[in-house]
């Protein structure tokens, strides 16, 4: 029997830490002007809420990739690209949705699947 676990990363695009994403991009070999361009795209952003024409105080944006941009989904995928390295089970990822599966026919298979879930939890922390 194949057991499949469906995961959905809550507020995934909003929770990507900018500095950690930039570090991962460096580890992938992104450098120079291109890295500087991405850095300026992510850092020193601010936001506020408008209600009936009245705005809140401006606040710094410390995480997240801009949604609605062409670059946002690509940066998100770069950020989560190493998740499959943490598991030994089958893993399928699409945007912020992930499936982890394994044929479970005995208690050891069950333990391996649980260990993979534990590793994904550690990765996400």
């Amino acid at each position: 029997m194949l057991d499949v676990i469906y995961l959905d990363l809550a507020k995934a695009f909003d929770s990507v830490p900018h500095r950690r994403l930039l570090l991962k991009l460096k580890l992938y070999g992104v450098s120079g002007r291109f890295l500087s361009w991405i850095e300026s795209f992510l850092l020193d952003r601010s936001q506020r809420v408008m209600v009936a024409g009245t705005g809140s105080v401006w606040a710094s944006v410390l995480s997240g990739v801009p949604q609605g941009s062409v670059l946002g989904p690509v940066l998100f995928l770069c950020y989560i690209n190493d998740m499959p390295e943490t598991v030994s089970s089958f893993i399928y990822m699409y945007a912020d949705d992930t499936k982890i599966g394994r044929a479970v026919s005995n208690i050891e298979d069950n333990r391996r699947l649980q260990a993979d879930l534990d590793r994904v939890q550690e990765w996400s922390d």
Side-chain angles (χ1 to χ4, degrees), residues 31-116:
S31 62
R33 293 177 70 177
F34 188 60
L35 184 63
S36 296
W37 180 74
I38 293 172
E39 188 173 353
S40 68
F41 178 71
L42 293 174
L43 302 180
D44 298 324
R45 288 180 166 271
S46 56
Q47 66 186 13
R48 69 179 180 164
V49 176
M50 297 289 292
V51 176
T54 303
S56 66
V57 176
W58 286 95
S60 296
V61 178
L62 304 175
S63 64
V65 292
Q67 294 181 46
S69 68
V70 174
L71 195 55
V74 174
L75 292 174
F76 177 75
L77 292 176
C78 288
Y79 185 70
I80 66 166
N81 192 46
D82 60 345
M83 185 195 310
E85 296 171 15
T86 66
V87 300
S88 62
S89 298
F90 166 84
I91 186 167
Y92 176 78
M93 298 174 8
Y94 181 78
D96 62 342
D97 296 318
T98 302
K99 293 180 195 177
I100 298 175
R102 174 180 285 279
V104 176
S105 57
N106 56 49
I107 193 69
E108 186 56 35
D109 293 335
N110 188 34
R111 286 187 185 124
R112 288 181 179 144
L113 184 57
Q114 182 60 53
D116 284 340

Side-chain angles (χ1 to χ4, degrees), residues 1-30:
M1 171 197 262
L2 180 66
D3 285 3
V4 179
I5 299 165
Y6 295 85
L7 305 171
D8 184 19
L9 302 173
K11 299 188 181 197
F13 282 75
D14 296 331
S15 61
V16 174
H18 294 155
R19 294 290 178 190
R20 192 171 302 155
L21 171 60
L22 291 168
L23 175 61
K24 282 189 171 188
L25 291 172
K26 286 179 188 176
L27 294 173
Y28 290 140
V30 178

